[in-house]
Amino acid sequence: MPEEKILNSLKEILSLGAIQAGKVLEELSGMTVELRITKIYKGVFGKKFEKQYFLMRQRVNGKSFNASFYFSMLDTEFLKFLATLDSSDAVRDYQEYDLVDSFLEVGNIISGNVIAVFADFLNLELEYELPTMVTFEMEPELMEKEFFFTKVYFEIKEIEVHGYLLLAFSKEAYSAIVKKLGEIIND
């Protein structure tokens, strides 16, 4: 199956997860939240991490499907996101642990919904590890690892904020996705 078809199909799957995540964020915030996925890229993402990013990892395991999902935002973008939901005054009072907890919650909502769509698409039962913050000191291989990645655009109160969603599939998981996509396209 051509790489472009795979990337377009991944975009559709991720978009479904983003729509679900937007609905959850709307329910939690009481505001209209739109999440959009743009183009899917495959390559080394590490150069983008030269700036100050928050980075969350959520691993999942299932029959022939092991993957790590990463959600990332520039710290300034995340603060803008929180200020839009709360107020800029409330954000000034945030302590570092509050920011980490809030970021993990938002990342878990986004990654969790995307993962759920993948699980449904592949008809899998998955075991989720707890989401965790990671750094490049903890996982230096992230700087040179190849990912599928996309920019996630949030729109809240007409203010645009963005983050990144990175997908690291095992070879078996990637093969399972390509096989399933092939079955769907050929039907």
Side-chain angles (χ1 to χ4, degrees):
M1 173 180 290
E3 187 88 21
E4 188 175 329
K5 279 189 176 184
I6 294 168
L7 296 177
N8 288 335
S9 297
L10 285 174
K11 178 185 173 192
E12 289 181 35
I13 294 168
L14 293 175
S15 293
L16 291 173
I19 290 168
Q20 286 180 206
K23 289 177 184 174
V24 173
L25 290 170
E26 278 185 15
E27 289 173 18
L28 291 174
S29 68
M31 297 179 192
T32 301
V33 178
E34 182 185 345
L35 266 65
R36 293 185 317 277
I37 300 289
T38 58
K39 188 173 179 177
I40 305 293
Y41 302 92
K42 184 179 180 184
V44 176
F45 188 80
K47 296 280 187 233
K48 294 197 180 281
F49 289 124
E50 291 172 354
K51 296 180 181 176
Q52 187 62 40
Y53 276 87
F54 287 119
L55 181 63
M56 181 213 81
R57 178 192 68 221
Q58 185 162 25
R59 290 183 178 146
V60 292
N61 300 300
K63 184 179 179 186
S64 74
F65 191 89
N66 298 305
S68 293
F69 290 75
Y70 294 86
F71 178 68
S72 176
M73 288 181 90
L74 272 171
D75 56 1
T76 53
E77 285 292 298
F78 188 62
L79 290 173
K80 184 167 77 171
F81 173 78
L82 288 178
T84 304
L85 292 178
D86 283 340
S87 71
S88 53
D89 293 335
V91 170
R92 272 181 256 167
D93 295 334
Y94 269 79
Q95 300 298 316
E96 188 174 343
Y97 59 85
D98 293 327
L99 290 176
V100 169
D101 286 348
S102 296
F103 182 76
L104 284 172
E105 185 174 343
V106 170
N108 187 36
I109 290 168
I110 293 169
S111 294
N113 280 282
V114 167
I115 293 166
V117 171
F118 269 102
D120 189 47
F121 174 73
L122 295 170
N123 197 24
L124 292 174
E125 288 187 32
L126 297 175
E127 292 180 18
Y128 293 68
E129 288 185 15
L130 290 174
T132 185
M133 295 292 281
V134 293
T135 64
F136 298 104
E137 291 78 26
M138 293 166 58
E139 295 188 21
E141 69 277 3
L142 290 176
M143 291 301 283
E144 299 179 7
K145 189 171 194 161
E146 189 171 71
F147 288 102
F148 291 96
F149 62 91
T150 186
K151 198 175 231 182
V152 180
Y153 289 93
F154 301 74
E155 194 172 300
I156 308 161
K157 290 184 175 179
E158 299 176 1
I159 295 174
E160 193 170 281
V161 180
H162 70 268
Y164 290 94
L165 187 61
L166 293 80
L167 315 171
F169 299 118
S170 66
K171 289 179 182 175
E172 296 82 13
Y174 184 68
S175 294
I177 291 167
V178 171
K179 181 180 177 194
K180 183 69 172 183
L181 290 172
E183 290 170 3
I184 290 170
I185 290 170
N186 291 329
D187 283 345

